[in-house]
Amino acid sequence: MSTSILAASFEADSKRGAALFREQMCISCHSVGGEGGRTAPDLSRRIDRNYTPAGIASLMWNHGPLMWAAIEKKGVTMPQMSESQAADLFAYFYSAHYFERPGEAQRGKALFASKGCSGCHAIGAGAATIGPAVATWSALTDPMVLIQRMWEHAPEMKKAMEARHVPWPELTSQDMADLLVYLQNLPETRNATLAFEVPSPEGGEALFHSKGCANCHTNQRAFENLLGDSTLTDVAAAMWNHAPLMFKNPESAPKPLTAPETRQILSYVWARQFFSTKGDAARGKKVFESQKCASCHNAPTGAPQLDRGTGPYSAVRMVSILWKHGPAMEQHMQQKSISWPRLSPNDMANVIAYLNTR
């Protein structure tokens, strides 16, 4: 089985995505977090536990004809979307927690005790504990701040645990999500406003190198190979689990990061790995042929030849193609009595992998 991964990095910005969502009149049908139209799904509500860029691309692809019919009925101008604009939309949906794993407070409460967190951190302020009380954690409102705080305090926490003969607790991304839901909904913290943005990663790549991240994370250990389709909670869990190893040797340990630097690096890392969809090219070729894509794109019909000459394919590129060419594609397919292709998230990932081999 062959798997294809090509880096497809974009300078995605959730603020630009929010503005685009309104400018392109998506908000007339869709809502995000309850704000907007009611005739189409709320795009901040997860569809399933394994939602990925390929997942949202497949959902938009499958619903394309219905969306175009609704747009025409409303008399709204058909959106035209570039790849960079599609990436901004993905960042906006992500900032609305669309891609994050759902957590469960009861599991989080049990983990807070079983993993030894309660031995160092009290819930309410004023208690005499080794670490700061949960009620004072500003990191609970923003995953990027959470990662920066974990990174900043990891060496200190490691020393405290060693002094108490407590092993470093391993956390899965589900554990991290459960802990966050529990801690965000305590009486002492539940009124805090969740504020999360994915800013443009401008300058992130330079920091990635100057702070020493690139010393380890290159080639097979590059983030697009290690973390494909991962959320920031996944990244936080991975950094937590590897902190003892990363800080084992003070001379080669990564350099400290400020909160703004963390945002820049994480935005760069997130975009680089999040849009690098993993798929099976051989299976993608079968989907491409069985869905009759080849009858137009591999034949002299006027449809463009699909290859990676203009850059790697990605979920973002597929969404851009859908909005730029979808209505014309549907009309052409109707003339040839071909049904609009329906693609599962796996189908979409595999087709992307196949297109990147052409």
Side-chain angles (χ1 to χ4, degrees), residues 223-358:
F223 282 115
E224 58 267 25
N225 294 323
L226 296 175
L227 297 170
D229 289 340
S230 296
T231 68
L232 285 177
T233 302
D234 296 330
V235 175
M239 289 179 69
W240 171 267
N241 292 336
H242 286 82
L245 179 62
M246 288 188 287
F247 290 101
K248 186 175 182 179
N249 186 349
E251 293 183 1
S252 60
K255 298 176 183 178
L257 296 172
T258 65
E261 288 172 340
T262 302
R263 287 184 182 279
Q264 286 178 282
I265 289 178
L266 286 177
S267 293
Y268 164 70
V269 168
W270 176 80
R272 188 163 181 80
Q273 61 83 24
F274 200 64
F275 297 124
S276 298
T277 298
K278 299 178 182 179
D280 188 290
R283 291 181 178 177
K285 182 179 180 181
K286 291 180 180 178
V287 173
F288 190 81
E289 293 172 348
S290 67
Q291 294 286 357
K292 296 186 170 56
C293 308
S295 66
C296 291
H297 291 289
N298 287 350
T301 60
Q305 292 295 307
L306 302 179
D307 59 53
R308 53 181 172 148
T310 55
Y313 279 81
S314 64
V316 163
R317 189 172 187 185
M318 296 300 283
V319 168
S320 176
I321 289 170
L322 177 70
W323 284 106
K324 284 182 178 178
H325 306 295
M329 288 169 56
E330 184 194 17
Q331 186 177 24
H332 187 69
M333 292 174 74
Q334 287 174 344
Q335 292 170 354
K336 298 185 70 173
S337 300
I338 299 175
S339 300
W340 182 259
R342 295 187 63 82
L343 303 174
S344 70
N346 282 338
D347 288 340
M348 180 63 72
N350 293 337
V351 166
I352 290 170
Y354 168 61
L355 293 177
N356 280 325
T357 66
R358 290 166 61 91

Side-chain angles (χ1 to χ4, degrees), residues 24-25 55 101 134 153 168 171 184 203 225 242 255 271 343:
Q24 296 280 30
M25 298 304 293
R101 189 186 304 272
V134 173
H153 297 297
W168 188 267
L171 296 173
Q184 287 170 348
N225 294 323
H242 286 82
K255 298 176 183 178
L343 303 174

Side-chain angles (χ1 to χ4, degrees), residues 208 212-224 226-227 242 246:
F208 186 78
C213 311
N215 293 342
C216 293
H217 292 290
T218 56
N219 300 323
Q220 290 304 310
R221 294 194 60 79
F223 282 115
E224 58 267 25
L226 296 175
L227 297 170
H242 286 82
M246 288 188 287

Side-chain angles (χ1 to χ4, degrees), residues 117-122 127-133 156-157 159-161 163-164 166:
C117 311
S118 58
C120 291
H121 299 283
T129 54
I130 297 173
E156 183 181 344
M157 288 190 287
K159 289 180 182 178
M161 289 179 183
R164 300 174 65 221
V166 175

Side-chain angles (χ1 to χ4, degrees), residues 20-219:
L20 181 68
F21 190 74
R22 288 162 176 76
E23 291 165 3
Q24 296 280 30
M25 298 304 293
C26 310
I27 201 167
S28 66
C29 294
H30 290 281
S31 60
V32 171
E35 179 187 353
R38 296 291 187 273
T39 58
D42 184 331
L43 294 180
S44 65
R45 298 180 63 185
R46 287 179 59 97
I47 305 301
D48 59 44
R49 297 175 68 88
N50 297 308
Y51 223 52
T52 63
I56 193 172
S58 73
L59 186 66
M60 293 178 72
W61 188 276
N62 294 340
H63 286 78
L66 288 176
M67 290 191 290
W68 300 322
I71 289 170
E72 185 177 359
K73 185 177 180 179
K74 280 179 170 285
V76 178
T77 303
M78 188 70 67
Q80 293 292 303
M81 198 174 301
S82 67
E83 289 182 55
S84 60
Q85 287 175 322
D88 288 340
L89 272 183
F90 273 65
Y92 174 48
F93 297 156
Y94 186 91
S95 70
H97 301 282
Y98 194 40
F99 295 100
E100 281 293 356
R101 189 186 304 272
E104 185 178 294
Q106 281 301 110
R107 287 200 304 255
K109 181 177 181 180
L111 282 166
F112 193 74
S114 66
K115 294 293 185 179
C117 311
S118 58
C120 291
H121 299 283
I123 298 298
T129 54
I130 297 173
V134 173
T136 67
W137 292 6
S138 60
L140 291 178
T141 63
D142 188 329
M144 291 208 183
V145 177
L146 172 67
I147 293 174
Q148 191 269 336
R149 292 288 188 272
M150 290 169 59
W151 184 265
E152 180 182 6
H153 297 297
E156 183 181 344
M157 288 190 287
K158 185 173 181 292
K159 289 180 182 178
M161 289 179 183
E162 289 175 345
R164 300 174 65 221
H165 304 289
V166 175
W168 188 267
E170 293 276 321
L171 296 173
T172 65
S173 59
Q174 184 63 65
D175 291 340
M176 189 72 75
D178 293 338
L179 282 168
L180 278 174
V181 169
Y182 164 59
L183 297 174
Q184 287 170 348
N185 288 280
L186 292 166
E188 295 85 353
T189 60
R190 65 176 55 142
N191 292 326
T193 301
L194 298 181
F196 176 33
E197 294 177 353
V198 180
S200 170
E202 185 177 356
E205 184 174 8
L207 283 168
F208 186 78
H209 288 274
S210 66
K211 293 294 183 176
C213 311
N215 293 342
C216 293
H217 292 290
T218 56
N219 300 323

